[in-house]
Amino acid sequence: MIIKIINETQNQECDVLVVNKFENEKTISEIANKYAVEEDNFEGKFGETYILPTYGQEKHRKVIVIGFGKKEEFNPNKLREAIAKAVKKAMSIEAKTVAFKLDGIEFDYSEQFTMGAKIADYKFDKYKSEKKDKDVKEIFVEANESIVRKAEKIADAMAFTRNLANEPAQFATPTELASIACDLGLETKVYDKEECEKMGMGAFLAVGRGSSQEPKFIHMKYTCENPKKKIALVGKGITFDSGGLDIKPASSMLTMKDDMSGAACVLGVMSIIKELAPQVEVHGIIAACENMPGCSAYKPGDILIAKNGKTIEVDNTDAEGRLTLADALCYACELGVDEVIDIATLTGACMVALGSQAAGIMGNDTEMVKALIETAQRNGERFWELPLWEEYADSLKSDVADMKNTGSRWGGAQTAGVFLQKFVKDVKWAHIDIAGVAFLESVHKELCKGASGAGVRTLLNYLLEV
Ligand code: BES
Ligand code: MN
Ligand code: ZN
């Protein structure tokens, strides 16, 4: 999909002209006012659409009127959602060229317009032998060129992440993630099993032992002149989570190819970072492996030694993400960065608490957590803070080691959070649990089913705003 910036979009020759209508107000199109408003009583409730033909009287073959709802309730997030709806509608009538004439909007809509149009354009059909070509090829809009181009890059990064997380585990292996990382044109180091052993990553390596796939520890680095800050992004990279010997029931395993969504997010961010060029040094870190119950698998009761020397009794092999993250967080903290942000499909408990409406966020620095929540809110994602009270660590006590890898079932997202905190040293840190939002079971606003690209928009904007 190409977005072209022009003046006077209503005079552009195209298949469809999209105009907006606020509730109880007229649209900019006379014919839409006549047919949609006067004759058919189309009110313009939020997200409603109305299609009308122009019988060769106009440069556009059809008009789509999109309801923007009440003007006083309208905002950039609603705009993005409505634009995505309009693009989907245009696709449904096989329009190839679509012009937008938007009117009466009291903010610069360039950014969220682009996000809405591009997100609506995403599909994962690479394994379909018959592809439905319903794509809109060209979009014409009156907008700010440089903002549109920046937003296009962020949307491309989201699509990159969604493709990776939608990819079946048979292809998206740790080795494949490492090779993708190496192709991003950044300074990248991939550590193999032996090198991870030398670094003392006993927790990460234990998780990968039951699989025939080799574990890979990936470190990508982006630098610029005089960075204002140094930030490490750590993504959970379990390319398939069977649960290990504490094997999951079949139905819970169905979507577990998505257990590398955190890693996919970090790769998506790193894929576009050179082009967006934020004024920060950014490290992308992924401990990638598969959690399988093979004959060398780690077992309940095993005691693992993490990179920082702490010992962990394995209580449940399905709480594997925090073990891989433990070593990855130790590694990140040793880089001497100012901030560490980890992003992970970590707990079913977070999904129970917040559903698919929000990611959970925890951290040791109120300002940083607040900034991330606000950036998310402005960019169409929701992060909701959960408490990291130290009492949550009580149930992690072990009789034989420094801690167990699981605690009480209740408050499971926070228990996982305080577990991770034991591997964070002298740095501002935030943990984002995307278990409920990374892979959608049904359409959610502008997002279709499947991988959602959770975290990409927020983290890229966060880096750009430093
Ligand atoms: N990858 C899962 C968490 C998950 C669940 C992600 C559902 C997406 C959707 C994680 O590794 C896991 O299995 N967590 C366990 C932890 C438990 C054993 C303490 C869980 O949440 O049940
Ligand atoms: Mn698990
Ligand atoms: Zn997992």
Side-chain angles (χ1 to χ4, degrees):
M1 170 192 283
I2 298 171
I3 301 179
K4 289 193 173 156
I5 316 287
I6 59 168
N7 297 323
E8 305 302 330
T9 43
Q10 74 274 28
N11 299 328
Q12 172 66 38
E13 216 153 288
C14 59
D15 294 333
V16 166
L17 177 74
V18 178
V19 297
N20 62 297
K21 178 173 159 26
F22 288 105
E23 243 174 286
N24 306 319
E25 287 185 32
K26 292 205 160 186
T27 84
I28 200 127
S29 155
E30 279 315 309
I31 94 157
N33 289 334
K34 184 156 165 41
Y35 291 100
V37 184
E38 287 170 23
E39 299 194 10
D40 251 9
N41 247 328
F42 174 85
E43 289 173 85
K45 288 215 163 54
F46 182 75
E48 268 185 346
T49 50
Y50 187 96
I51 305 176
L52 67 156
T54 57
Y55 303 111
Q57 301 296 302
E58 309 282 335
K59 291 219 168 139
H60 34 273
R61 292 197 290 114
K62 284 182 179 153
V63 173
I64 294 179
V65 191
I66 170 89
F68 272 9
K70 297 205 173 68
K71 198 162 187 175
E72 61 277 13
E73 288 170 12
F74 199 65
N75 60 41
N77 283 329
K78 288 201 159 170
L79 174 108
R80 184 188 56 255
E81 200 183 328
I83 296 304
K85 274 231 166 79
V87 170
K88 287 268 184 223
K89 200 78 196 172
M91 285 175 178
S92 76
I93 56 171
E94 292 182 32
K96 298 292 160 205
T97 52
V98 181
F100 283 80
K101 183 71 186 177
L102 303 176
D103 184 53
I105 302 168
E106 280 151 10
F107 50 85
D108 185 332
Y109 56 74
S110 309
E111 181 164 12
Q112 295 312 325
F113 174 90
T114 309
M115 294 305 290
K118 294 271 293 180
I119 291 171
D121 188 38
Y122 178 80
K123 62 181 181 313
F124 186 74
D125 64 355
K126 80 186 260 206
Y127 297 108
K128 290 264 191 197
S129 32
E130 261 174 60
K131 301 200 200 309
K132 296 186 200 130
D133 184 18
K134 290 211 161 186
D135 299 359
V136 168
K137 306 287 180 211
E138 271 181 314
I139 285 195
F140 301 95
V141 64
E142 297 166 16
N144 177 310
E145 178 96 38
S146 67
I147 298 180
V148 168
R149 300 304 161 218
K150 184 196 93 178
E152 269 183 319
K153 293 192 170 87
I154 295 176
D156 286 341
M158 261 180 90
F160 182 102
T161 294
R162 296 170 87 182
N163 281 339
L164 261 177
N166 277 324
E167 190 69 32
Q170 94 216 76
F171 302 123
T173 60
T175 306
E176 178 62 16
L177 296 191
S179 127
I180 289 169
C182 289
D183 289 342
L184 296 178
L186 300 164
E187 197 182 308
T188 299
K189 167 84 183 136
V190 177
Y191 300 89
D192 63 15
K193 198 169 92 193
E194 285 69 36
E195 289 169 301
C196 291
E197 261 160 25
K198 281 195 197 117
M199 290 192 287
M201 296 183 165
F204 164 48
L205 288 174
V207 175
R209 276 209 318 257
S211 167
S212 57
Q213 292 292 338
E214 286 287 307
K216 300 284 173 191
F217 189 92
I218 306 164
H219 178 186
M220 298 157 272
K221 181 178 176 187
Y222 158 82
T223 31
C224 59
E225 260 178 58
N226 307 318
K228 290 192 202 146
K229 244 191 212 178
K230 297 181 182 181
I231 300 183
L233 304 177
V234 181
K236 172 173 169 181
I238 300 296
T239 59
F240 188 73
D241 183 9
S242 70
L245 285 170
D246 286 299
I247 199 157
K248 287 181 184 292
S251 63
S252 309
M253 220 187 280
L254 277 174
T255 57
M256 281 302 132
K257 66 171 184 183
D258 87 326
D259 214 18
M260 38 64 82
S261 295
C265 170
V266 172
L267 284 165
V269 167
M270 298 312 279
S271 75
I272 207 79
I273 202 153
K274 272 166 89 177
E275 285 189 48
L276 285 168
Q279 286 295 301
V280 262
E281 181 173 300
V282 186
H283 297 263
I285 293 159
I286 297 163
C289 68
E290 205 178 45
N291 187 21
M292 296 288 280
C295 57
S296 306
Y298 77 133
K299 307 168 193 75
D302 282 359
I303 296 174
L304 317 176
I305 308 174
K307 192 173 188 312
N308 64 356
K310 291 201 172 142
T311 57
I312 308 161
E313 180 190 1
V314 178
D315 193 47
N316 189 317
T317 62
D318 199 11
E320 82 298 336
R322 62 195 76 182
L323 295 171
T324 63
L325 288 170
D327 282 336
L329 287 169
C330 292
Y331 180 96
C333 290
E334 285 173 19
L335 297 171
V337 291
D338 305 294
E339 294 180 4
V340 175
I341 302 171
D342 78 70
I343 178 155
T345 45
L346 203 62
T347 65
C350 188
M351 195 170 183
V352 170
L354 302 170
S356 58
Q357 300 302 330
I361 183 167
M362 288 146 260
N364 61 8
D365 186 87
T366 319
E367 287 303 308
M368 182 181 164
V369 168
K370 204 170 140 231
L372 281 161
I373 291 173
E374 281 171 9
T375 308
Q377 168 62 31
R378 270 185 277 114
N379 292 284
E381 295 198 275
R382 277 201 186 117
F383 291 180
W384 193 260
E385 189 172 9
L386 300 171
L388 270 190
W389 295 315
E390 58 188 41
E391 287 82 354
Y392 285 116
D394 292 350
S395 66
L396 288 171
K397 289 205 173 93
S398 161
D399 295 333
V400 288
D402 297 339
M403 69 196 91
K404 296 189 294 183
N405 73 331
T406 56
S408 162
R409 254 188 84 198
W410 316 118
Q414 297 92 303
T415 317
V418 292
F419 179 91
L420 295 181
Q421 192 166 20
K422 293 179 185 290
F423 301 89
V424 172
K425 214 179 145 205
D426 304 329
V427 69
K428 291 181 185 173
W429 159 73
H431 156 58
I432 306 165
D433 192 333
I434 53 170
V437 294
F439 204 86
L440 301 170
E441 282 166 18
S442 56
V443 174
H444 190 273
K445 298 193 172 169
E446 66 271 22
L447 296 164
C448 61
K449 274 166 89 168
S452 67
V456 176
R457 305 183 240 186
T458 302
L459 291 182
L460 277 173
N461 281 292
Y462 182 76
L463 296 174
L464 288 167
E465 284 162 22
V466 163

